[in-house]
Amino acid sequence: MASGWHVDEAQRTAALEAYELDLLRNSPALKQITDFAARLCDAPIALVSLVEETRQSFLSATGTDLTETPRSQSFCAHAMWNDGVMVVPDLTLDPRFARNPLLSDPGARFYAGAPLVSDDGIPLGALCVLDRVARPGGLTPLQHEGLVVLAANVLARLRDSRDGAAWRAAENDARRAALDSDTRFRTLADTMPQMVWSTLPDGYHDYYNARWYEFTGMPEGSTDGAEWNGMFHPDDQDRAWEIWRHSLTTGEPYQIEYRLRHVDGSYRWVLGRALPIRDANGQITRWFGTCTDIHEQKLALEQREIISQELSHRIKNIFSVIAGLIQFAARSHPGFAPVATDLRQRITALGRAHDFVRPHSPQSRPTAAQDSLHGLLDQLFAPYQSQVGDRARITVTGADLVVDDRAATPLALLFHELATNATKYGALSLAAGTVSLDISATDDDVTMVWRERGGPVLAGASEHVGFGTQLIEMSAVRQLGGTIERDWRLDGLTVTLHARRSAFSRADRA
């Protein structure tokens, strides 16, 4: 008997549960051991058998499909209590086994088993070999020793399992959580209206949801790797590659609109987006992206753009018609001519501002960015410009702000009045006179300083408050929500406008 003879079944059950046998069952390492044991002992069957309360289960089996038997049929249930290898040359001659069903199937006649005993003396089972013919000579010394050595290797595997039980439990929990997360992700992804895809850190596409395959009609897996780019319209492929490579290199989010081939053979506009997933060290572990069908929205936007361009063009023509009507009226009423000229010039300035910010076709779009304050001012000052030496009479320096259509109207009225007054009475009324406009900005505020130099010597502040002055006040204060200050210096007028940055663009209001 082995030293574990005093161990009860409750202790054995607890010991066996500590090994997490399901993780060891059919493991390649144990299969190597049973394969080698069978060859070493020249036996058709080799088993790693653990004897439980009511059954013996085989963690590894060579030469048989059996995975377990009742404990009452177990030869290893006897071998595990031995001090050494238990050898039964002829099972039919041993009273303990003469009526064992295993003598019929699989026809066992010879048995040799090395006990598997834990470090704390608890019998667990045996590593055994079986033959279908009796062996009066039993095992050779080499086979006997080899079986003991292989049993020790089995115990080492069991010990690793037991000692790492807590770690494996955590890993198993993590694996189950990952599997559950993956299942949830795939379920969620397959129910989304968007096409969902994922890549490895190097950009290799290895996952698409069901919607992708429904949309493209491609066989599953056929667009893995770099094949995704072949699904795009030929005119979009190089652009898509360039933007994707930039994101992979920099880690910046990926966003692009391109035409994707539909299952019906047509190309539809989609919006492609992707974000990187990073580990605790900031390294990208995956990219997750979506493709959203925006074809109808794209067509509707193009139609709206065409309509907007047409309406805006007609508004521009209305400015021209009104200016023409004013000029025509002035011809019929000569006394109205000075007022008509001022009015027509103001309308022309508004039309110029409108034309700068209005929707344009690619052919009519201004060369300057349509949201540029400098670009708008260049358009407004163009009629007043001429050269003084090697520089323009009106120069604009400093910050260039984003402006939109709401700010364009008051800015056009404001600076048209200043430029017109400078031409009539100020610096621009003399050949050598100049005007500088300097723009400074913070995150919240904007200051614009208009300086006239080289004009007539000023006698002091003007007491006259005409329509032009009121127009300047209305533009600066009421529409831009700012303040305006005038400094009547001897060498020229200085006008300072203070306003909130948010008054210049909706984007800065957000």
Side-chain angles (χ1 to χ4, degrees), residues 35-52:
D35 287 349
F36 186 70
R39 290 196 300 272
L40 174 68
C41 297
D42 195 22
I45 298 173
L47 305 165
V48 172
S49 172
L50 294 186
V51 180
E52 302 173 52

Side-chain angles (χ1 to χ4, degrees), residues 468-483:
T469 302
Q470 294 177 349
L471 197 61
I472 291 173
E473 291 287 343
M474 181 184 70
S475 301
V477 178
R478 296 182 188 178
Q479 293 184 274
L480 291 176
T483 61

Side-chain angles (χ1 to χ4, degrees), residues 364-375:
S364 66
R365 184 171 290 112
T367 55
Q370 286 184 260
D371 60 356
S372 164
L373 176 58
H374 278 221

Side-chain angles (χ1 to χ4, degrees), residues 71-128:
R71 180 170 176 173
S72 60
Q73 299 177 12
S74 174
F75 307 134
C76 295
H78 298 270
M80 69 179 183
W81 298 101
N82 268 39
D83 287 330
V85 177
M86 184 181 91
V87 178
V88 183
D90 190 341
L91 292 167
T92 62
L93 302 180
D94 191 314
R96 295 172 297 176
F97 312 123
R99 295 185 180 182
N100 193 304
L102 297 180
L103 272 60
S104 298
D105 183 14
R109 290 293 181 273
F110 170 77
Y111 173 88
L116 300 174
V117 181
S118 69
D119 294 339
D120 46 0
I122 299 177
L124 306 173
L127 169 65
C128 70

Side-chain angles (χ1 to χ4, degrees), residues 2-291:
S3 60
W5 63 269
H6 61 281
V7 176
D8 61 28
E9 285 304 315
Q11 289 177 291
R12 293 188 62 258
T13 299
L16 287 168
E17 289 176 351
Y19 290 105
E20 297 184 337
L21 302 181
D22 287 342
L23 296 179
L24 288 171
R25 199 176 307 278
N26 298 320
S27 72
L30 292 181
K31 187 63 167 61
Q32 285 181 337
I33 291 175
T34 55
D35 287 349
F36 186 70
R39 290 196 300 272
L40 174 68
C41 297
D42 195 22
I45 298 173
L47 305 165
V48 172
S49 172
L50 294 186
V51 180
E52 302 173 52
E53 186 174 358
T54 61
R55 65 171 185 165
Q56 69 169 347
S57 61
F58 305 136
L59 291 187
S60 180
T62 297
T64 180
D65 293 330
L66 287 174
T67 58
E68 63 178 57
T69 72
R71 180 170 176 173
S72 60
Q73 299 177 12
S74 174
F75 307 134
C76 295
H78 298 270
M80 69 179 183
W81 298 101
N82 268 39
D83 287 330
V85 177
M86 184 181 91
V87 178
V88 183
D90 190 341
L91 292 167
T92 62
L93 302 180
D94 191 314
R96 295 172 297 176
F97 312 123
R99 295 185 180 182
N100 193 304
L102 297 180
L103 272 60
S104 298
D105 183 14
R109 290 293 181 273
F110 170 77
Y111 173 88
L116 300 174
V117 181
S118 69
D119 294 339
D120 46 0
I122 299 177
L124 306 173
L127 169 65
C128 70
V129 294
L130 294 166
D131 202 343
R132 295 185 178 89
V133 297
R135 293 192 185 183
L139 296 176
T140 68
L142 178 61
Q143 292 170 338
H144 186 284
E145 181 181 357
L147 205 59
V148 172
V149 171
L150 291 175
N153 274 270
V154 173
L155 283 170
R157 301 294 177 184
L158 291 173
R159 190 180 302 113
D160 289 343
S161 174
R162 182 198 61 194
D163 294 344
W167 177 83
R168 284 194 299 276
E171 183 184 42
N172 198 41
D173 288 344
R175 187 180 295 112
R176 282 195 295 268
L179 180 61
D180 181 63
S181 176
D182 182 68
T183 301
R184 289 173 182 268
F185 166 75
R186 290 176 181 270
T187 301
L188 176 63
D190 284 341
T191 58
M192 289 178 64
Q194 287 90 358
M195 292 162 271
V196 180
W197 47 271
S198 177
T199 81
L200 300 177
D202 63 0
Y204 184 93
H205 287 67
D206 62 352
Y207 168 76
Y208 299 91
N209 71 339
R211 178 64 179 140
W212 168 269
Y213 294 111
E214 292 172 5
F215 184 95
T216 62
M218 297 297 289
E220 188 169 346
S222 62
T223 53
D224 287 356
E227 299 303 318
W228 60 276
N229 199 45
M231 299 301 300
F232 301 157
H233 190 283
D235 293 344
D236 299 335
Q237 291 180 10
D238 290 343
R239 180 171 56 92
W241 263 120
E242 181 180 354
I243 295 176
W244 179 230
R245 282 195 295 263
H246 175 77
S247 293
L248 292 177
T249 302
T250 63
E252 295 176 4
Y254 172 73
Q255 180 166 319
I256 184 176
E257 292 182 3
Y258 46 62
R259 288 160 288 183
L260 182 64
R261 190 169 70 236
H262 191 253
V263 62
D264 63 8
S266 66
Y267 285 94
R268 294 181 64 84
W269 281 101
V270 302
L271 172 63
R273 288 174 171 164
L275 289 173
I277 304 299
R278 301 178 184 271
D279 61 18
N281 297 319
Q283 297 298 311
I284 295 175
T285 58
R286 263 200 171 277
W287 286 84
F288 281 101
T290 60
C291 295

